Amino acid sequence: VLVVHTLLDAGAKSVSHLEKLLDKFDWLVTHASADAAARVQTLAAVGSYWNARPAMVWLTLRKLLQYKLTDATAIVGWLTVSDAGRPLLETWGAWDAIGEQLSLAASSQRSATKAAEAEAERHAAMHADEHSGAE
């Protein structure tokens, strides 16, 4: 939480400040959110820091996805966590923004899957060429 709040505080001046900090300290955020539970805590820290400005929460989530510092599973996990007995989905009351974030997360996941599949096909074709050339 301290790492995230510190970066958000330093990057609060503008979106470009935040982007520069995420770019420079992506290794630190990656280390601080090494597992699924820690990634959910990272998003909770974003939510608590920008509690009064929900638009900044969504913008920051978008940037975290863009820099691959979070994933769709963490976002869904965070959005379904309870806040004082009410799911964040109700607490934040920003269904359009939530839908946009979930769509962005799903799109990011699909892109990563397509890239992995293309790479696997490339390797398979390369190995097939090697084997056919050896005959």
Side-chain angles (χ1 to χ4, degrees):
V1 174
L2 181 60
V3 168
V4 175
H5 278 212
T6 301
L7 286 174
L8 293 175
D9 193 49
K13 262 186 165 176
S14 70
V15 174
S16 63
H17 277 75
L18 178 62
E19 288 177 331
K20 287 177 185 173
L21 288 168
L22 289 175
D23 190 43
K24 185 173 183 175
F25 294 105
D26 62 340
W27 63 272
L28 184 59
V29 176
T30 299
H31 181 73
S33 55
D35 60 30
R39 283 189 291 278
V40 170
Q41 287 179 335
T42 296
L43 298 177
V46 170
S48 69
Y49 184 86
W50 290 118
N51 191 39
R53 296 180 61 198
M56 288 303 295
V57 172
W58 310 128
L59 177 86
T60 304
L61 290 183
R62 185 176 297 129
K63 294 301 173 189
L64 290 172
L65 277 170
Q66 178 183 340
Y67 284 87
K68 296 179 180 16
L69 299 173
T70 195
D71 56 27
T73 304
I75 290 175
V76 171
W78 173 65
L79 289 172
T80 57
V81 166
S82 176
D83 181 35
R86 294 174 53 202
L88 284 173
L89 290 171
E90 288 179 26
T91 304
W92 285 75
W95 288 102
D96 290 339
I98 290 167
E100 180 182 336
Q101 291 304 314
L102 292 175
S103 177
L104 184 62
S107 176
S108 174
Q109 189 66 39
R110 280 191 300 275
S111 294
T113 300
K114 284 181 184 177
E117 289 171 349
E119 186 66 15
E121 287 177 14
R122 188 179 72 76
H123 280 289
M126 193 168 64
H127 288 297
D129 288 345
E130 287 174 3
H131 289 346
S132 66
E135 293 173 6

